Amino acid sequence: MKSRIIALALGVVLLSGCSTSNDVETLLRAPQLSGESAAVQKALNSYLGGSATLKYPASGDFLSPFAFGDWDGDGTQEAAVLYTADTTGSNVFLAVLEPNGEDSWQVSRTVEGLSSEVETFSAAHLRDAQSQQILAGYGSAQGDRYLVVYEYNGTELSTIISNRYSEMVLGDFTGKGDTQDLVLALPTDTEYGGVTLQLLTNVDGEFRSYQTLNLGEGSYSGCAALSAGQGRDDAMYLVMDAWSGNNSLVSDIILYDEETGFLQPYHPPGLTDPQRSTLRYHTELLSRDIDGNGTVDIPVEVDDGGNLQSPMDKSLVFLLWKDYAGADGGHSHFGIYDSKNNFYMSLPESMHGSILIRSNPAGNGWMICNSDGTTVYCEMRVVDPAEETDSGAASYERIANIGSQQLQARIVTPYYGLSIDSITGSTVLLGLE
């Protein structure tokens, strides 16, 4: 369970702003490559007649310049590399390499990308169950994003899809079983013009655009995120987080209807009005699989979670993460979100509506108490471990690292369902996926 808490120092650097991009690139290039990656880079440098600068994507299946897969479906694994070189200009290039004997590779084809930065790098079985297609998302200095789907057939590397987009997600939404579909959220050019989703899928052996679906016209001003989850009958579904008025987010659920053959909005039991039911003002709260069970949970801010004593009411909010994948409506997880430190902590459902949270004496955290504040169950704090001087530090347990600081907890009065193990297993650092 501890593996669910993600706190990478690199992630903090990447999130700190554009001014560090060159330093980040230097840091990422520094480690020596080994194994297949080193052999692939050696072959690429030989092909270029110089040293390639490897380009690291910001997200996707591959968080490395190197990708390995059976691109052409011949049963042999090929390689793909993102790079720039002194002789190729500033845009990223993609090279596909074929194996050439043991620990040896040969460049087969290269293609120029659409910008100098790669936002996402993935691969999927889009056309058939044997070959994999390569997906690269490029970002421009103006903020535009372009997704390109590349197909390699053993001799040629071609572009089969090139689309402007704002968000994307892969999944077997149409239930074909052996191939995946691609859903893109297209950019919105007018305020409150709604969000247009484009479904691209395999139709008679050809991967192409199949449907566009318009949602929230007059209410939505753009797509914040797309997430795919496993619903009832193992069918996949889609959750879209959309920007609404007054700098807020709402969520929509979209399912593939086998009878009509199209994606359609889905309002499960307990979610008759998605815009009202999922409205939230902490716009960093995106839908996600909060409990690791394969379904997508939608965060909902609630007013009846308990009492937040000032100044904790400025940085904490009670949440229900609702899972609408089942036929009986929403299952929920109750907890508290710390917006100052950007983490969510699950709490026993029996605490819902019956607790008070107040600042701890040191002012570096907060305490969960009974409703009248006379019994303290747990204390959470964020401290710099190098500066800890209090004699009681040994009573705190490390839950996670948040940058150079530690999130720590201690149990003061036992409460059923609340322990150091449960806190460690159910605390999620948000924004560092």
Side-chain angles (χ1 to χ4, degrees), residues 294-313:
T295 63
V296 179
D297 303 291
I298 299 173
V300 178
E301 300 174 17
V302 293
D303 297 325
D304 63 352
N307 183 15
L308 296 173
Q309 200 173 81
S310 182
M312 290 297 97
D313 57 341

Side-chain angles (χ1 to χ4, degrees), residues 6 45 79 89 116 171 174-175 186 206 208 245 267 306 407 428:
I6 306 170
N45 289 342
S116 60
T174 58
L186 305 182
E206 179 186 2
R208 63 176 179 84
H267 295 169
L407 172 62
V428 181

Side-chain angles (χ1 to χ4, degrees), residues 34 55 58 64 82 85 93 163 204 210 227 239 304 328 347 373 376:
S34 60
K55 298 297 292 185
S64 158
L82 299 169
F93 272 70
N163 261 40
D204 299 327
Y210 179 74
S227 305
V239 173
D304 63 352
D328 54 349
L347 297 174
V376 178

Side-chain angles (χ1 to χ4, degrees), residues 322-397:
K322 293 196 172 185
D323 163 14
Y324 293 97
D328 54 349
H331 297 91
S332 60
H333 297 273
F334 172 67
I336 189 77
Y337 170 59
D338 186 326
S339 63
K340 178 181 177 181
N341 298 294
N342 205 20
F343 72 87
Y344 167 76
M345 173 183 168
S346 183
L347 297 174
E349 178 58 33
S350 57
M351 283 187 167
H352 191 159
S354 63
I355 56 175
L356 176 147
I357 299 181
R358 65 170 186 253
S359 178
N360 67 352
N364 56 8
W366 37 271
M367 299 185 296
I368 300 175
C369 313
N370 64 349
S371 58
D372 58 12
T374 57
T375 302
V376 178
Y377 298 125
C378 169
E379 179 185 358
M380 304 293 294
R381 69 177 191 175
V382 177
V383 297
D384 185 340
E387 298 178 359
E388 285 189 54
T389 58
D390 61 297
S391 58
S395 64
Y396 293 87
E397 297 283 346

Side-chain angles (χ1 to χ4, degrees), residues 67-80 96-99 105 152:
F68 295 90
D70 187 1
W71 313 138
D72 57 7
D74 65 353
T76 301
Q77 182 172 258
E78 290 87 32
V96 169
L97 296 89
E98 292 272 8
W105 295 83
Y152 177 68

